[in-house]
Amino acid sequence: MKAPSPMCLRALRSLAFPPTLRQKQRCYAAVPDRSPTPPRTFKTPSPPPEPQWSSTTPPQPTSSAEPPPAPTDLPSRLPADPPSRPPTPAAFRPPPSGPNSRNLSTNDPSLAPPPLTRPIGFPTPPLPTENMGLDSRTLRERRNDFHDYDRHLAKRAAMTKQIAKPYFRDWSNMRFHQGKVFVAPTRLFRREVALWFPNFFGRTLVKKKGLERRMGLRDGFGGYGRGTTEVLRGRVSVVSLVGNAWAQRQVETFVGGSVNAELHALLEEHRGLVQRVEINWETNWLKWWILKLFAVPNLRRSRTLEEQGRYFLVKRGVNDIMKEALGVLNDKGGYVYLVDGECRIRWAGSAEAEDGERRSLVEGVKRLVKEAKMPREVEPPEVRKEKLEAAVLEVMDGEGMKGEVVAGAGG
């Protein structure tokens, strides 16, 4: 069959697509006669200029025949706005980040560390074998997790969050108030509302010859691993959490013998009841081996055998959830916690200490010593006084609310 000529194709196209239809639809087989027009760009209209009124002459109406409208008392007809509640203060503020953080001043008042107004920690008691950092899943469980799409999405989100964090952000933020995240409270958190200190699992400074090996426990340290919960239970502990030499110098401003001699006097006076526990965590495997080869011998020589059993070297099991629960928003800073015999966090401090923070730490140790020596059934008078004051304030608040309701009903 012979193909139709171009003239025949044009005639058939004009019959199939009339001129009115050809304006709305485009035949892609035809070659355009002219280049297509660029897409339209729409600009956002600017708002009309506000009228400028003179400060001396009041505005005149546009028409002299119509009088100006009479003012109406709108506030009397509208309901009163309910009183807005003040925002709940945060326990600690996240560290500054982003490209504008470099332009912030070192003594910027907006970055001043807030006081710690609520308890921090975990809502459940710790166990001595938690947070080992080892994968205990079977092959079947690993296969099922590998085919779980939701787990892949969660892992991708965690990796994205980790990659988005600049490597030197924590070091850069150390110039803001020496990396201080929060100001230590002046009083202890009550035992009823205090949260628990998590378990850190690692290796102590005690040599293998003087340490009993635990058989049948896969802990990643050949059976010589220990948990901090074993040491913290039953004693009042001043726990320090560091990750580098800079953080260690900051911790010494809280518990150093030259700056806080009263605390060391309490440690000597109540030996066996009050102790100091040190945690040195390092998740980078290269820095971990450098620490183990060069720093551990010096640490052993500067501490007694009893103190070596309370110094933990942790390389696994420290995750972001633990850091956020303990208020560790800057990994390069040092942190100090006052933990009672039930592993509850009753007091916390960060970065370099102030005079008031050292005094509150000493007073907190004295208070916990009294609680430890007093039987559990009998509450200390300070606790009973706090409970009585809280009950009185609750009753007064209730009476005040009742009076407001009665006054509103009468009006």
Side-chain angles (χ1 to χ4, degrees):
M1 181 178 179
K2 188 177 180 180
S5 62
M7 187 178 297
C8 183
L9 287 176
R10 286 195 215 97
L12 292 175
R13 190 180 297 116
S14 62
L15 292 175
F17 300 100
T20 57
L21 187 60
R22 274 185 290 174
Q23 293 177 1
K24 298 180 181 179
Q25 297 182 358
R26 179 183 177 185
C27 180
Y28 291 95
V31 179
D33 299 335
R34 58 181 180 179
S35 59
T37 57
R40 275 181 155 184
T41 57
F42 297 93
K43 296 183 179 180
T44 305
S46 58
E50 298 182 358
Q52 303 291 334
W53 303 107
S54 174
S55 59
T56 57
T57 306
Q60 301 295 333
T62 56
S63 177
S64 58
E66 298 180 359
T72 57
D73 192 7
L74 292 179
S76 62
R77 296 186 296 172
L78 296 177
D81 296 335
S84 59
R85 295 183 178 181
T88 305
F92 32 78
R93 186 180 296 109
S97 60
N100 297 328
S101 61
R102 297 184 178 182
N103 301 330
L104 297 175
S105 175
T106 304
N107 298 324
D108 194 339
S110 63
L111 300 177
L116 188 60
T117 56
R118 64 172 179 84
I120 58 176
F122 275 74
T124 56
L127 297 177
T129 56
E130 285 182 338
N131 303 324
M132 287 188 180
L134 300 176
D135 192 357
S136 58
R137 297 176 299 171
T138 61
L139 292 178
R140 182 180 296 274
E141 292 175 348
R142 295 187 185 186
R143 182 183 62 83
N144 296 336
D145 293 341
F146 181 77
H147 292 285
D148 191 351
Y149 185 70
D150 295 335
R151 290 182 65 89
H152 282 289
L153 291 180
K155 186 177 180 180
R156 186 186 304 174
M159 293 176 63
T160 304
K161 182 179 178 181
Q162 185 178 4
I163 294 174
K165 176 184 175 181
Y167 183 78
F168 294 101
R169 188 192 70 176
D170 292 338
W171 282 120
S172 301
N173 291 337
M174 291 296 289
R175 62 190 178 94
F176 301 115
H177 303 276
Q178 302 296 324
K180 201 173 188 64
V181 179
F182 53 84
V183 179
T186 57
R187 303 175 65 180
L188 296 181
F189 299 122
R190 290 186 302 175
R191 174 183 167 276
E192 293 80 6
V193 299
L195 303 178
W196 281 272
F197 189 83
N199 181 69
F200 286 83
F201 197 91
R203 180 78 166 83
T204 61
L205 293 179
V206 181
K207 295 183 179 181
K208 295 182 179 180
K209 296 181 180 180
L211 191 62
E212 181 183 358
R213 182 180 180 182
R214 295 178 177 176
M215 305 300 296
L217 179 62
R218 183 172 174 266
D219 57 359
F221 296 96
Y224 294 100
R226 294 292 185 271
T228 57
T229 306
E230 304 176 13
V231 181
L232 297 178
R233 280 180 178 172
R235 296 185 179 182
V236 178
S237 307
V238 181
V239 184
S240 60
L241 184 61
V242 300
N244 49 71
W246 182 286
Q248 184 63 36
R249 287 193 292 267
Q250 290 186 340
V251 166
E252 291 299 322
T253 61
F254 279 95
V255 298
S258 59
V259 295
N260 201 342
E262 190 174 359
L263 176 63
H264 283 259
L266 289 174
L267 293 174
E268 292 293 333
E269 180 181 358
H270 303 282
R271 182 184 295 271
L273 179 60
V274 183
Q275 63 181 357
R276 182 184 174 187
V277 180
E278 302 175 78
I279 302 174
N280 190 343
W281 62 281
E282 182 56 66
T283 56
N284 190 319
W285 66 272
L286 181 59
K287 295 181 180 179
W288 164 263
W289 282 107
I290 294 176
L291 174 67
K292 187 175 180 180
L293 293 176
F294 299 100
V296 169
N298 295 331
L299 292 174
R300 284 199 182 109
R301 284 193 293 266
S302 60
R303 287 164 176 80
T304 62
L305 184 61
E306 184 180 359
E307 293 174 347
Q308 292 178 14
R310 297 195 299 264
Y311 194 104
F312 290 84
L313 300 172
V314 182
K315 66 176 179 179
R316 289 190 302 264
V318 182
N319 50 33
D320 294 337
I321 299 178
M322 296 175 61
K323 295 179 184 178
E324 294 178 2
L326 295 176
V328 183
L329 301 185
N330 193 326
D331 297 348
K332 310 306 178 184
Y335 300 86
V336 179
Y337 304 91
L338 185 56
V339 183
D340 61 5
E342 298 179 356
C343 300
R344 295 177 181 265
I345 302 176
R346 309 293 296 274
W347 183 92
S350 66
E352 293 188 358
E354 303 174 358
D355 295 336
E357 293 179 325
R358 281 190 287 266
R359 288 195 299 269
S360 63
L361 174 60
V362 173
E363 294 298 328
V365 172
K366 294 179 180 178
R367 171 78 175 276
L368 291 182
V369 168
K370 292 181 180 179
E371 291 184 6
K373 291 184 177 181
M374 190 170 296
R376 179 60 56 84
E377 293 77 14
V378 181
E379 293 182 347
E382 293 85 0
V383 175
R384 288 183 295 181
K385 183 179 179 181
E386 290 178 0
K387 289 185 178 180
L388 180 60
E389 292 175 355
V392 171
L393 290 176
E394 185 178 357
V395 172
M396 292 178 63
D397 293 342
E399 292 293 336
M401 293 293 294
K402 187 185 298 184
E404 292 179 2
V405 171
V406 173

